[in-house]
């Protein structure tokens, strides 16, 4: 990639896991009553057909990785497990009461934090309690995130028996210097072992998650990552761009200096190198940062244009309604978003008061809904169009003006009534979406809110 493009376009920008992005939510006009109305509407519209998705946030981790931007609670006290699960069940029961119907569950994801911090018997109790209250869709997709160092054979077997077929292991990097800097020592042997267990048990999709742009990362680190991927052949690989967001309170990104991070140009080269290796190994790129082998259902969904993007990143389990349980979890009724209290204590206190533990949210306007569709199209399908009246909005000519420079740089092509991202534009997806983001354009942030786009 030409260095001048990285210089020009490597600016702070959203990752577009939602539109509007969280800092631009209109929290003042949001109320719990309005949120509940959109939930009921969305449930009625979608439950019988496609069902609903459930996300469960399990925030505990045994130790702090200093690069981590996830919402987590570090503790070695496993007594926290059972009370947390009881609160999750209480929260779910509140949703059941509100929806007044038996949900059809088509997708379920356990995220964190570290879901495998919880003992298998506690996860089993939680999930069996939920399953008693729902019908389960035949082609369901149940997945979870797992830390290789804290995942036992029993975890994998228990979750498999409960219907989970996809597991995603956080690997980050195999380089010891990088691992020390991010306070996460994890051997290749351990990743190999948990991956082999998963295969033996029968998991259909094993994913390894890496991060590029970590402190002290060099080209050799990426070569090693590629060698190990070639040895283990996970069905999916995710290569996240390191989000350096130390200004967000409570994050652990303090174990290294800014100067230890690779420059924008090197960071981009690290990502491109892994992409080249993965392509040679037969992986197909999906969206910004996901890769899948041809037999993986994620790739099949890409071909059938069924990829979706939500707060967890790319997914192929798309439903109109996603209810998210647990501290900090963000729910999506398509017409509105809501976020739960972020720390565990406030989450418990809110539930003790007898209502949904929501602390902020946003009700989408008609224009938000149109822009949301365009951003999803670009993020998932690399093209969008506004030939239908339902996809047009008055500012489209201005959007095109903003994209003119990227067109001259051969990053996007203008179509009759739409646009397509070129292969060279793939790395600049976030910048291209920013041209549609009317809320960001109207009100430029006064402080740093977002990580760099490259
Ligand atoms: C919840 S963790 C995965 C499960 C488990 N806690 C673990 O670490 O293995 C989710 C993933 O988000 C990614 N991640 C966390 N912080 C990040 C950051 N600052 N920038 C980019 N990716 C990040 C990592 O790849 C991590 O594996
Ligand atoms: S990377 Fe995973 S284990 Fe490490 S702090 Fe973040 S959520 Fe916890």
């Amino acid at each position: 990639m030409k260095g001048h493009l990285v210089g020009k376009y490597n600016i702070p920008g959203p990752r577009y896991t939602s539109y509007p992005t969280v800092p631009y939510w209109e929290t003042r006009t949001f109320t719990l009553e309005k949120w509940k109305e959109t939930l009921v509407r969305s449930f009625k519209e979608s439950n019988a057909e496609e069902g609903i998705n459930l996300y469960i946030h399990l925030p505990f981790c045994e130790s702090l990785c200093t690069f981590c931007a996830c919402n987590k609670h570090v503790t070695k006290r496993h007594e926290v497990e059972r009370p947390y699960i009881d609160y999750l069940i209480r929260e779910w029961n509140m949703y059941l009461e509100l929806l007044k119907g038996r949900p059809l569950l088509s997708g379920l994801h356990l995220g964190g934090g570290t879901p495998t911090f919880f003992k298998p018997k506690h996860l089993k109790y939680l999930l069996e309690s939920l399953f008693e209250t729902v019908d389960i869709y035949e082609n369901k997709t149940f997945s979870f995130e797992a830390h290789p160092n804290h995942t036992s054979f029993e975890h994998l077997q228990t979750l498999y028996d409960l219907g989970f077929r996809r597991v995603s292991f956080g690997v980050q990097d195999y380089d010891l210097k990088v691992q020390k800097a991010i306070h996460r020592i994890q051997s290749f042997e351990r990743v190999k072992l948990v991956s082999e267990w998963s295969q033996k048990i029968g998991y259909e999709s094993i994913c390894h998650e890496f991060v590029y742009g970590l402190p002290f990362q060099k080209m050799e680190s990426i070569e090693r990552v590629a060698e190990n991927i070639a040895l283990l052949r996970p069905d999916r690989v995710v290569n996240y761009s390191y989000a350096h967001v130390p200004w967000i309170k409570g994050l652990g990104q303090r174990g290294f200096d800014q100067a230890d991070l690779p420059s924008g140009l090197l960071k981009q080269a690290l990502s491109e190198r892994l992409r080249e290796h993965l392509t040679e190994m037969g992986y197909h790129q999906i969206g910004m940062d996901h890769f899948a082998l041809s037999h993986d259902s994620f790739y099949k969904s890409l071909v059938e244009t069924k990829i979706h993007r939500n707060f967890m990143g790319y997914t192929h389990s798309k439903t109109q309604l996603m209810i998210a349980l647990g501290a900090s979890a963000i729910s999506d009724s398509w017409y509105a978003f809501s976020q739960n209290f972020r720390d565990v204590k406030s989450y418990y206190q809110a539930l003790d008061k007898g209502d949904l533990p929501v602390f902020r949210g946003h009700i989408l306007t008609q224009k938000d809904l149109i822009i949301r569709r365009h951003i999803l199209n670009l993020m998932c399908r690399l093209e969008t169009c506004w030939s239908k009246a339902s996809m047009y909005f008055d500012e489209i000519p201005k959007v095109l003006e903003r994209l003119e420079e990227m067109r001259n740089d051969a990053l996007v092509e203008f179509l009759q009534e739409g646009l397509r991202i070129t292969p060279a534009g793939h790395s600049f997806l976030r910048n291209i979406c920013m041209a549609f983001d009317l809320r960001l354009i109207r009100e430029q942030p006064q402080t740093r809110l977002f990580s760099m786009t490259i």
Side-chain angles (χ1 to χ4, degrees):
M1 177 189 300
K2 292 178 191 129
H4 76 277
L5 293 180
V6 177
K8 195 191 301 187
Y9 296 116
N10 191 17
I11 55 169
R15 293 177 57 241
Y16 292 110
T17 51
S18 73
Y19 184 81
T21 57
V22 179
Y24 286 93
W25 283 2
E26 279 176 31
T27 48
R28 275 182 305 116
T29 51
F30 175 87
T31 63
L32 212 47
E33 286 322 304
K34 285 189 204 162
W35 164 239
K36 288 180 184 173
E37 275 168 30
T38 72
L39 272 170
V40 172
R41 171 180 173 192
S42 199
F43 183 71
K44 279 190 190 143
E45 286 173 357
S46 63
N47 190 50
E49 303 263 320
E50 55 180 19
I52 70 160
N53 269 355
L54 204 54
Y55 169 77
I56 304 180
H57 193 74
L58 297 160
F60 303 113
C61 301
E62 284 217 0
S63 85
L64 178 68
C65 310
T66 50
F67 78 102
C68 179
C70 304
N71 194 291
K72 71 268 171 196
H73 182 108
V74 178
T75 180
K76 289 204 189 303
R77 292 178 53 248
H78 281 261
E79 309 86 273
V80 294
E81 291 183 30
R82 194 48 212 262
Y84 190 80
I85 281 176
D86 289 338
Y87 275 102
L88 286 173
I89 295 171
R90 269 166 77 172
E91 188 187 2
W92 175 240
N93 285 337
M94 285 178 192
Y95 277 104
L96 287 177
E97 226 168 273
L98 178 74
L99 300 175
K100 295 193 180 61
R102 195 168 167 89
L104 174 65
L105 185 63
S106 45
L108 169 60
H109 183 76
L110 310 182
T114 303
T116 51
F117 172 96
F118 285 77
K119 287 188 190 65
K121 67 170 184 188
H122 286 155
L123 292 172
K124 188 167 189 268
Y125 171 71
L126 166 68
L127 294 163
E128 283 180 345
S129 309
L130 293 179
F131 293 167
E132 273 172 21
T133 63
V134 297
D135 291 327
I136 297 181
Y137 192 68
E138 209 185 322
N139 290 323
K140 64 189 183 301
T141 44
F142 288 2
S143 53
F144 66 101
E145 293 164 20
H147 190 316
N149 291 358
H150 303 284
T151 302
S152 63
F153 188 87
E154 195 191 348
H155 275 119
L156 293 165
Q157 186 68 61
T158 305
L159 288 168
Y160 183 87
D161 293 342
L162 288 159
F164 288 75
R165 295 292 179 269
R166 293 150 217 268
V167 52
S168 194
F169 292 110
V171 184
Q172 329 310 349
D173 195 333
Y174 287 106
D175 186 321
L176 194 58
K177 187 166 180 187
V178 176
Q179 292 194 355
K180 281 186 179 155
I182 61 171
H183 195 239
R184 185 184 170 108
I185 308 292
Q186 178 178 281
S187 67
F188 169 73
E189 284 66 33
R190 184 72 205 173
V191 179
K192 182 168 183 266
L193 183 68
V194 290
S195 303
E196 286 172 354
W197 282 342
S198 311
Q199 256 167 356
K200 194 172 153 208
I201 290 171
Y203 279 86
E204 286 159 14
S205 180
I206 302 168
C207 175
H208 289 180
E209 293 173 349
F210 298 91
V211 178
Y212 66 92
L214 289 171
F216 304 112
Q217 226 172 22
K218 296 196 184 67
M219 210 42 100
E220 295 88 83
S221 328
I222 296 302
E223 298 300 335
R224 175 116 168 254
V225 164
E227 276 166 31
N228 290 344
I229 290 174
L231 287 172
L232 301 181
R233 298 281 293 172
D235 307 283
R236 291 182 199 174
V237 170
V238 183
N239 194 25
Y240 289 120
S241 166
Y242 170 52
H244 187 59
V245 286
W247 57 88
I248 296 182
K249 244 178 96 191
L251 284 187
Q253 297 182 325
R254 308 252 171 221
F256 44 85
D257 290 332
Q258 180 83 26
D260 303 326
L261 298 174
S263 67
L265 208 54
L266 175 58
K267 189 178 177 193
Q268 183 56 31
L270 298 172
S271 140
E272 293 238 324
R273 187 75 194 111
L274 190 59
R275 185 184 322 201
E276 283 163 14
H277 275 301
L278 289 169
T279 309
E280 277 164 28
M281 287 184 239
Y283 287 88
H284 305 275
Q285 182 162 3
I286 297 170
M288 287 196 299
D289 41 26
H290 280 50
F291 299 83
L293 289 172
S294 306
H295 67 258
D296 192 273
S297 54
F298 216 179
Y299 177 61
K300 292 186 185 137
S301 303
L302 176 74
V303 175
E304 292 162 13
T305 62
K306 284 188 184 154
I307 298 290
H308 182 60
R309 188 166 170 79
N310 62 22
F311 288 97
M312 280 83 70
Y314 288 101
T315 160
H316 53 106
S317 170
K318 181 193 177 296
T319 57
Q320 186 173 305
L321 177 59
M322 187 181 69
I323 295 180
L325 307 177
S328 79
I330 300 180
S331 299
D332 175 0
S333 66
W334 183 255
Y335 306 107
F337 299 116
S338 82
Q339 182 171 26
N340 282 352
F341 282 95
R342 277 185 290 205
D343 68 285
V344 173
K345 202 170 150 200
S346 316
Y347 168 71
Y348 289 170
Q349 282 168 349
L351 281 164
D352 284 337
K353 287 189 189 136
D355 210 344
L356 293 179
V358 166
F359 92 103
R360 63 175 170 179
H362 176 86
I363 309 290
L364 279 86
T365 62
Q366 278 310 319
K367 199 174 281 183
D368 284 339
L369 285 166
I370 299 176
I371 295 174
R372 184 178 185 188
R373 279 196 203 99
H374 283 298
I375 289 185
L376 273 170
N377 285 346
L378 290 169
M379 278 282 173
C380 301
R381 280 177 227 139
L382 306 171
E383 60 182 29
T384 194
C385 85
W386 44 85
S387 52
K388 284 189 194 150
S390 59
M391 289 295 277
Y392 190 82
F393 60 103
D394 294 344
E395 290 84 350
I396 286 279
K398 288 250 178 273
V399 170
L400 293 176
E401 267 174 43
R402 284 193 282 275
L403 287 171
E404 192 58 43
E405 195 170 346
M406 287 190 243
R407 172 156 86 151
N408 293 336
D409 286 328
L411 306 180
V412 283
E413 282 166 21
F414 290 1
L415 310 173
Q416 181 87 33
E417 283 174 290
L419 59 96
R420 181 182 303 136
I421 297 173
T422 65
H426 225 123
S427 304
F428 303 97
L429 250 171
R430 287 160 72 174
N431 302 75
I432 295 163
C433 290
M434 283 163 81
F436 282 81
D437 189 340
L438 295 190
R439 290 181 180 270
L440 178 73
I441 288 153
R442 236 177 270 137
E443 197 190 321
Q444 288 296 322
Q446 299 301 306
T447 53
R448 270 299 292 277
L449 294 177
F450 303 112
S451 58
M452 303 297 274
T453 50
I454 309 288

